């Protein structure tokens, strides 16, 4: 049996972790989570009832950004994170958590019609939707990778957010974002992951719920 177990649904952010697992290249078992009838065994692993969730041996990891960071460190041979002590580790963490924090918050808040007023921005970690996108665009301009000179889990996570958001209209289609996302989502592991999840779609529930 594989040492890695992956709880997911192909209609969720689990697609990000599928890509990450394909990049890592280690054997893993997939367990599909049914939205309507969540298995008590899964809820025992993650009481939040959210996917993606991974179990590596006796270690449980949830939250997309955390799973990406964990897998990159657990399997350093895949080269998906700058090594400890490398100065590229700083921007790697910065943009991994920027995607997990400001981007997620800004997109979710806007989707609910709760765009903050200028006076309210100080109470929110992301400030405003426009500031988040402008900051990201300014950094990605003329950069192939967010950290150093090679692809990392931070690129995977960020490109996933941008690709998904632009497809479904929750993020603006800016040329910088489109070029960056296309460059990374064209990787062989990303295509394999899409093929796997697309093949699992008929088994997925048609009524998705918020997942994280």
């Amino acid at each position: 049996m594989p040492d890695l177990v992956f709880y997911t649904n192909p209609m969720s952010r689990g697609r990000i972790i599928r890509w990450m697992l394909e990049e890592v290249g280690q054997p893993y078992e997939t367990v599909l989570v049914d939205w309507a009838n969540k298995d008590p065994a899964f809820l025992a692993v993650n009481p939040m009832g959210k996917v993606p969730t991974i179990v590596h041996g006796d270690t449980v990891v949830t939250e997309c950004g955390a799973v990406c960071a964990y897998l990159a460190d657990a399997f350093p041979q895949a080269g998906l994170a700058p090594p400890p002590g490398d100065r590229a580790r700083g921007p790697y963490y910065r943009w991994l958590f920027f995607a997990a924090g400001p981007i997620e918050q800004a997109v979710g808040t806007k989707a609910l019609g709760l765009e903050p007023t200028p006076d309210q921005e100080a109470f929110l970690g992301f400030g405003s939707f426009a500031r988040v996108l402008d900051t990201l665009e300014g950094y990605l301009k003329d950069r192939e990778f967010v950290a150093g000179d090679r692809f990392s889990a931070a690129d995977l996570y960020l490109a996933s957010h941008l690709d998904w958001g632009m497809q479904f209209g929750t993020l603006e289609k800016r040329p910088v974002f489109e070029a960056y996302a296309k460059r990374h989502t064209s990787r062989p592991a990303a295509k394999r992951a899409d093929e796997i999840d697309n093949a699992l779609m008929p088994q997925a529930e048609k009524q998705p719920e918020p997942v994280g």
Side-chain angles (χ1 to χ4, degrees):
M1 293 289 290
D3 195 34
L4 272 169
V5 180
F6 172 42
Y7 294 89
T8 189
N9 185 294
M11 298 172 66
S12 77
R13 292 176 181 85
R15 296 181 79 102
I16 300 172
I17 303 309
R18 174 81 68 186
W19 177 10
M20 186 69 189
L21 287 163
E22 290 299 310
E23 291 281 358
V24 164
Q26 297 296 311
Y28 63 92
E29 176 189 356
T30 297
V31 178
L32 290 183
V33 175
D34 184 330
W35 300 134
N37 300 291
K38 288 177 179 164
D39 189 331
F42 170 60
L43 293 176
V45 173
N46 183 0
M48 287 286 288
K50 303 292 185 179
V51 295
T53 295
I54 67 164
V55 179
H56 182 210
D58 59 0
T59 299
V60 176
V61 190
T62 68
E63 317 312 317
C64 273
V67 175
C68 286
Y70 176 84
L71 289 172
D73 286 346
F75 302 100
Q77 66 271 26
L80 294 169
D86 190 316
R87 293 187 69 177
R89 195 87 169 175
Y92 166 76
Y93 279 130
R94 176 188 178 187
W95 296 103
L96 189 62
F97 286 98
F98 189 87
I103 293 178
E104 280 271 8
Q105 295 168 20
V107 169
T109 301
K110 187 173 180 64
L112 294 175
L114 301 175
E115 185 73 6
T117 66
D119 289 341
Q120 294 171 328
E121 289 179 12
F123 294 93
L124 300 169
F126 67 90
S128 72
F129 185 78
R131 186 185 303 177
V132 168
L133 297 195
D134 290 346
T135 298
L136 181 59
E137 181 181 32
Y139 187 80
L140 292 181
K141 186 179 180 181
D142 302 323
R143 275 190 173 86
E144 185 172 1
F145 309 108
V146 296
D149 59 0
R150 63 179 298 172
F151 178 80
S152 71
D155 291 302
L156 185 153
Y157 191 35
L158 189 53
S160 295
H161 269 287
L162 291 174
D163 185 59
W164 183 269
M166 290 187 293
Q167 281 190 56
F168 291 94
T170 58
L171 286 172
E172 297 172 14
K173 288 186 176 180
R174 300 187 182 187
V176 170
F177 296 162
E178 290 178 307
Y180 176 83
K182 182 178 180 180
R183 182 164 60 248
H184 297 308
T185 58
S186 65
R187 290 173 62 86
K191 292 181 178 179
R192 285 198 308 274
D194 274 344
E195 289 173 359
I196 294 168
D197 277 325
N198 289 342
L200 291 172
M201 287 292 286
Q203 299 178 48
E205 288 293 322
K206 301 303 180 185
Q207 176 114 27
E209 64 177 41
V211 290

